[in-house]
Amino acid sequence: MRKNSFRLVAAASAIALAITGCSSSKNDAANTDSQFEIFTWWASGGEAAGLKAMTDLYQAQNPNTEFINAAVAGGAGVNAKAVLVSRIEAGDAPDSFQAHAGKEVVASYAAQGKLEDLTSLYSSEGWDKVFPADLIKQITLDGKIYSVPVNIHRANVLWWNPGTAAKAGITAAPTTLDEMFTDLDKFKKAGVKTPMVLAGGEGSWAMAHLLDYVLLASMGADKFEGLFTGATSWTGPEVAAAIKNYQRLLSYGDKGKNSYGWGEAGAAITKGTGGFFIMGDWASAQWQNEGSKLGTDYTFAAAPGTVGLYQWLSDTFTLPVGAKHRNAALTWLKLCGSKEGQDAFNPLKGSISARTDSDLTKYDAYLQAAAADWGKDRLVGSTVHGVNADNTFMSAMNAALGKYVTGGAKDNAGLAKDLAAAAAAK
Ligand code: GAL
């Protein structure tokens, strides 16, 4: 994805929608459904708090519709996605489910005939003018738009505790991988228990998340994007060098051989027992939900080696084919896409609005900084959170990382081979 392309709002697709005149009959019925079931993996902490802000609004606006929250816990949807597939196969689709913009929506669900076409909502709700055109492209298949983005998260964020850093003599954020290694040595020397905080639990997705960042930091955006077009080989020197950096990073933690989920692992930052943590910006919402303070208990920077790059992902909501409460779901989707809904949800979820007209005064200093970077950085997709590859690739990537970590993080060539096999199977 080229620099700034997401901010080129809508021109082409807005015109296309106007010409096809999809403003619809089918998608504008009033909600008379008695129930509405929504499916996510936002089951606790900051994630559940964000969701609740929006579901509270929904319930206030739809008092006669019973709200059913079918969340399945597990970061990045590792557990939820498996449950979802079996529900869909059993003809028991929820009324709306969470899915990431990019290959996840398009290849894993839309291309499989699992989703209804939502294109008409984009003209009737004016979304063709307020969602970036390139974001809409990421949820479009054969000219039809299949989901509603509710946010933009950033995956490549470095988090640390300013007090712990000061004790180790670290006064500025590292901007390169080399600077990060130097600082990790400083944390080590200062007796910080875990210089590099790693989350090895929850099906290894967080270890894959870290590798996704290290790949980008090590080879740069063009080569990284080439991994998903076939232009960069998974068994070539760039990936080998990245895995070496990754292996070195892991040596500052417990090599990832732990059973911590991202929330549990990240608590080492706010408690002051951890040095650096690389995690998506949902971590900030989680810490605030636990009572920690931005700037005092934790702070942030673009992850080293990726300054000027925004590794993005977007949570979106869908209308599955066969949803039992279709009108209730459409009402939900309209709220998801609205300014009111997004500005209630995102400040608590730790993400920025996917709309170009959000009210930034409602967002904290981290999110305001993220919004500024989103407006100027080069955008690069997240692999682990659905942009670059489908669910099959993600499961295979998680499994490859699980194997690497369990094997003591030694078999670098084996990891590259497993990733190449995952890419070949796409
Ligand atoms: C991502 C999701 C985020 C957050 C994160 C950790 O896949 O897009 O909203 O939930 O997982 O669970």
Side-chain angles (χ1 to χ4, degrees):
M1 184 108 357
R2 291 288 150 186
K3 187 172 172 169
N4 284 339
S5 52
F6 266 36
R7 270 83 51 186
L8 302 176
V9 177
S13 56
I15 293 165
L17 288 176
I19 293 169
T20 51
C22 293
S23 99
S24 134
S25 43
K26 180 164 132 197
N27 285 341
D28 58 8
N31 173 24
T32 50
D33 287 326
S34 59
Q35 286 189 334
F36 170 59
E37 187 193 32
I38 185 198
F39 187 96
T40 69
W41 55 87
W42 297 330
S44 61
E47 313 212 300
L51 179 61
K52 186 172 180 301
M54 207 155 60
T55 57
D56 280 353
L57 270 176
Y58 183 85
Q59 283 177 289
Q61 291 165 4
N62 298 272
N64 299 322
T65 304
E66 183 196 352
F67 187 84
I68 302 166
N69 183 346
V72 174
V78 278
N79 305 324
K81 287 181 194 177
V83 174
L84 179 66
V85 167
S86 57
R87 282 194 55 176
I88 292 176
E89 273 167 13
D92 180 31
D95 298 315
S96 183
F97 67 83
Q98 172 190 0
H100 291 120
K103 292 286 188 306
E104 186 171 319
V105 162
V106 168
S108 294
Y109 301 117
Q112 313 295 324
K114 309 287 186 219
L115 301 179
E116 278 204 39
D117 169 15
L118 299 174
T119 310
S120 63
L121 284 179
Y122 279 72
S123 45
S124 66
E125 301 300 302
W127 294 340
D128 40 8
K129 292 176 198 71
V130 293
F131 287 128
D134 275 358
L135 177 57
I136 295 179
K137 248 191 232 155
Q138 296 278 348
I139 45 177
T140 299
L141 177 66
D142 297 334
K144 295 177 181 148
I145 311 174
Y146 282 99
S147 69
V148 181
V150 77
N151 68 5
I152 302 293
H153 266 305
R154 185 174 194 172
N156 60 324
V157 190
L158 180 77
W159 307 98
W160 72 96
N161 180 316
T164 312
K167 266 189 240 151
I170 299 167
T171 49
T175 59
T176 63
L177 281 167
D178 282 347
E179 285 176 16
M180 174 155 70
F181 287 126
T182 304
D183 286 348
L184 285 166
D185 281 330
K186 290 185 188 167
F187 278 130
K188 207 167 168 182
K189 249 201 186 142
V192 172
K193 194 171 155 217
T194 316
M196 188 71 208
V197 175
L198 302 168
E202 287 191 328
S204 293
W205 74 266
M207 297 304 290
H209 180 111
L210 182 66
L211 177 65
D212 202 23
Y213 145 70
V214 177
L215 287 166
L216 178 60
S218 303
M219 67 181 72
D222 287 339
K223 291 274 182 192
F224 176 81
E225 288 181 341
L227 290 169
F228 305 97
T229 61
T232 307
S233 164
W234 284 96
T235 49
E238 296 89 355
V239 171
I243 296 179
K244 242 182 161 176
N245 284 330
Y246 183 71
Q247 184 179 40
R248 189 167 166 204
L249 266 190
L250 299 200
S251 71
Y252 289 92
D254 52 8
K255 294 188 179 163
K257 272 188 149 181
N258 63 53
S259 58
Y260 303 136
W262 67 270
E264 259 175 301
I269 296 298
T270 50
K271 282 191 200 137
T273 55
F276 288 139
F277 187 40
I278 303 250
M279 185 45 65
D281 43 14
W282 44 86
S284 175
Q286 176 65 23
W287 289 324
Q288 289 184 24
N289 189 263
E290 290 165 358
S292 293
K293 292 229 160 4
L294 172 61
T296 312
D297 301 317
Y298 70 96
T299 188
F300 65 90
T306 63
V307 178
L309 302 178
Y310 202 105
Q311 195 172 25
W312 71 277
L313 59 124
S314 171
D315 294 302
T316 76
F317 280 93
T318 58
L319 178 58
V321 169
K324 294 180 200 75
H325 307 103
R326 198 174 169 279
N327 288 335
L330 285 166
T331 307
W332 166 253
L333 293 172
K334 287 177 190 170
L335 179 62
C336 287
S338 71
K339 184 170 170 171
E340 182 192 20
Q342 301 220 348
D343 284 345
F345 171 76
N346 285 303
L348 292 172
K349 180 63 175 70
S351 36
I352 56 172
S353 174
R355 295 176 58 112
T356 50
D357 62 351
S358 78
D359 177 1
L360 281 176
T361 62
K362 298 201 161 119
Y363 293 74
D364 68 20
Y366 165 73
L367 291 168
Q368 289 181 3
D373 286 352
W374 171 248
K376 65 175 164 49
D377 282 1
R378 172 163 171 181
L379 308 178
V380 185
S382 156
T383 313
V384 176
H385 308 280
V387 182
N388 303 328
D390 65 6
N391 283 345
T392 307
F393 179 87
M394 280 179 278
S395 304
M397 184 174 182
N398 291 352
L401 267 300
K403 190 170 141 197
Y404 181 70
V405 163
T406 318
K410 287 195 294 254
D411 183 11
N412 290 12
L415 175 57
K417 237 170 109 188
D418 286 346
L419 294 170
K426 270 196 295 152

